[in-house]
């Protein structure tokens, strides 16, 4: 789906980064603590973000930041996801970068850090009083850390959860499923008339893998072991794919094999499907007009973890100004304001805050998100992670379309995934 950084580009980048430092504007070059003193920090911070609700929430906080930092001007460019990586990489390679601050999707973290494109943040994080790195759940901290160094700060999470219609569950006498068999049974009971029991996202590539991996975890399988070796070629993976295909055929909307996130969420919001596995932060959006949706942990309790992070490009022009914004917006108090306004939480202290529960979306929602974040795992770790995700998703979709047997698809997925990470 997205072009990856090639070896040639990485070599060019090394030369480019060596020639680039931070320029004027009160910033210091290199991986240092810098300063967040409003009296000393100045400059324009050019930020790239995704076109999602969380970006709008951050933009709403900018006037308050600029009061605290009157000599810093934050300019946000919001783009569709599919355009972001190429734009970021182009900025990394430029003698005059386009961006001083980026958000990093977790599959990009390893490549960006190992390529020398991100500045290590350990000294900057440690210099901010009360930052409390341990306030983030361990899976979020792990993704941000490459070779023992912290390269990014969690911004928002998109861990998956079961999003379901409370009224339809109550009418059918159902409780949120805790296993794949229970999910299959619930989806069958909820299927009838114009309503599908579950909306799914079997689209080839990223989306089907993002959804199916929750089935894999529920079946007791894994994607990689602690050493990073791919473990997809397993009996558990075959069971998970068989169950996924059965549920799709029995209970998903007809002709939805190419559906992704947008189509599945529209089916649920327009009363054409009763539930879906999707990003936990969809609940506030779905309940904006009427409180009839709830979330639960995915069957089995172990979810796919997606997250965006604030990252400081090594060739950023205004590093101290950019870091001052990250330290400010990531502070507990600003995180609390952001989450109450509808942003996806990342700090445990905010997830546990009764004021957030009352002014936000209720204790059950935040407790469920916290539980999901404590035991979640990304789709891939290591070099070429995004490419690995897409090749696995190709094999899964082929099985769903009947082009390959489950056994052949899982065998190929495991083989191709390992080959991709080993490139």
């Amino acid at each position: 789906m997205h072009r990856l950084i090639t070896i040639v580009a990485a070599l060019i980048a090394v030369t480019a980064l060596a020639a680039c430092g931070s320029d004027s504007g009160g910033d210091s070059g290199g991986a240092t603590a810098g300063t967040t003193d409003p009296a000393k920090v100045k400059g324009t911070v050019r930020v790239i973000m995704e076109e999602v609700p969380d970006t709008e929430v951050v933009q709403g906080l900018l006037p308050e930041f600029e009061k605290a930092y009157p000599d810093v001007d934050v300019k946000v460019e919001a783009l569709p996801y599919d355009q972001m990586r190429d734009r970021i990489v182009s900025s990394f390679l430029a003698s005059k970068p386009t961006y001083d601050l980026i958000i990093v999707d977790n599959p990009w973290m390893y490549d960006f850090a190992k390529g020398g494109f991100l500045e290590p943040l350990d000294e900057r994080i440690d210099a901010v009083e009360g930052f409390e790195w341990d306030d983030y759940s361990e899976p979020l901290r792990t993704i941000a850390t490459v070779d023992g160094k912290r390269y990014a700060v969690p911004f928002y999470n998109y861990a998956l959860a079961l999003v379901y219609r409370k009224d339809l569950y109550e009418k059918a006498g159902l409780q949120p499923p805790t296993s794949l068999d229970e999910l299959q049974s619930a989806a069958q009971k909820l299927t009838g008339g114009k309503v599908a029991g579950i909306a799914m996202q079997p689209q080839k590539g990223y989306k089907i893998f993002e959804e199916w991996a929750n089935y894999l975890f529920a079946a007791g399988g894994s994607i990689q072991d602690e050493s990073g070796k791919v473990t997809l070629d397993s009996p558990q993976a075959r069971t998970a794919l068989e169950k996924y295909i059965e549920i799709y055929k029995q209970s998903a909307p007809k002709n939805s094999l190419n559906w992704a996130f947008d189509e599945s969420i529209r089916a649920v919001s327009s009363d054409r499907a009763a539930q879906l596995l999707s990003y936990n932060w969809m609940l506030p959006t779905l309940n904006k007009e009427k409180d009839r949706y709830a979330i639960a942990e995915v069957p089995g309790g172990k979810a796919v973890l997606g997250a965006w992070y604030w990252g400081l490009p090594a060739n950023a022009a205004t590093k101290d100004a950019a870091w001052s914004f990250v330290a400010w917006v990531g502070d507990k108090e600003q995180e609390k304001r952001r989450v109450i306004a509808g942003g996806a939480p990342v700090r445990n202290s905010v997830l546990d805050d009764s004021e957030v529960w009352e002014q936000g979306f209720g204790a059950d929602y935040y407790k469920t998100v916290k539980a999901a974040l404590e035991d979640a795992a990304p789709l891939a770790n290591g070099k070429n992670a995004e490419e690995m995700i897409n090749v696995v998703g190709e094999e899964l979709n082929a099985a769903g379309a009947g082009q390959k047997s489950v056994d052949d698809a899982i065998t190929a997925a495991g083989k191709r995934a390992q080959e991709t990470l080993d490139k």
Side-chain angles (χ1 to χ4, degrees), residues 11 38 44 65 68 175 339 366 368 397:
L11 290 173
T44 297
F65 170 76
Q175 295 294 321
V339 171
Y366 296 106
T368 301
N397 177 267

Side-chain angles (χ1 to χ4, degrees), residues 9-39:
L11 290 173
I12 294 171
V14 171
T15 303
L17 291 174
C20 298
S22 72
D23 55 28
S24 59
D27 282 357
S28 57
T32 66
T35 180
T36 57
D37 184 349

Side-chain angles (χ1 to χ4, degrees), residues 41-223:
V41 177
K42 61 181 179 180
T44 297
V45 180
R46 301 157 299 172
V47 189
I48 183 170
M49 301 181 73
E50 188 184 11
E51 289 180 341
V52 292
D54 273 85
T55 295
E56 296 174 9
V57 173
V58 169
Q59 289 173 314
L61 296 174
L62 289 180
E64 289 299 314
F65 170 76
E66 290 171 354
K67 285 181 183 178
Y69 285 84
D71 294 324
V72 177
D73 182 20
V74 177
K75 295 186 179 298
V76 174
E77 180 182 3
L79 292 174
Y81 180 84
D82 288 353
Q83 298 178 22
M84 290 183 64
R85 182 174 175 128
D86 286 347
R87 294 289 290 273
I88 290 170
V89 172
S90 294
S91 182
F92 286 156
L93 301 178
S95 58
K96 292 186 177 180
T98 306
Y99 306 111
D100 308 295
L101 180 64
I102 64 172
I103 58 170
V104 184
D105 198 9
N106 55 274
W108 309 341
M109 190 71 68
Y110 183 91
D111 286 339
F112 284 4
K114 294 291 282 187
F117 303 125
L118 297 178
E119 176 171 316
L121 298 178
D122 293 278
E123 291 188 29
R124 291 183 183 271
I125 291 170
D126 293 342
V128 177
E129 184 177 354
F131 192 89
E132 294 188 19
W133 182 250
D134 288 346
D135 197 21
Y136 302 110
S137 64
E138 188 274 335
L140 287 172
R141 299 196 307 269
T142 297
I143 290 171
T145 305
V146 179
D147 292 341
K149 295 180 180 179
R150 292 169 288 181
Y151 283 92
V153 171
F155 165 37
Y156 79 85
N157 88 84
Y158 59 96
L160 272 72
L162 178 72
V163 182
Y164 65 95
R165 280 270 300 273
K166 293 186 290 185
D167 58 328
L168 297 181
Y169 259 67
E170 183 177 353
K171 184 178 179 179
L174 294 170
Q175 295 294 321
T178 59
S179 69
L180 293 179
D181 286 340
E182 289 181 6
L183 176 64
Q184 183 174 23
S185 176
Q188 287 179 297
K189 287 182 180 179
L190 293 167
T191 299
K194 296 181 178 180
V195 179
I198 188 168
M200 299 172 74
Q201 53 178 50
Q203 187 183 82
K204 180 172 66 175
Y206 201 118
K207 287 305 175 186
I208 188 171
F209 190 14
E210 182 179 59
E211 182 176 47
W212 170 79
N214 298 278
Y215 287 64
L216 173 66
F217 295 153
S222 61
I223 299 170

Side-chain angles (χ1 to χ4, degrees), residues 180 212-213 215-222 230-247 395-396 399-400 404-415:
L180 293 179
W212 170 79
Y215 287 64
L216 173 66
F217 295 153
S222 61
V230 174
T231 55
L232 282 170
D233 192 349
S234 67
Q236 294 87 349
R238 287 169 173 79
T239 297
L241 187 52
E242 288 168 356
K243 187 67 69 174
Y244 183 91
I245 293 170
E246 286 176 8
I247 292 174
E395 298 298 334
L396 299 175
K404 284 190 173 184
S405 68
V406 166
D407 186 60
D408 287 347
I410 291 299
T411 298
K415 182 175 184 292

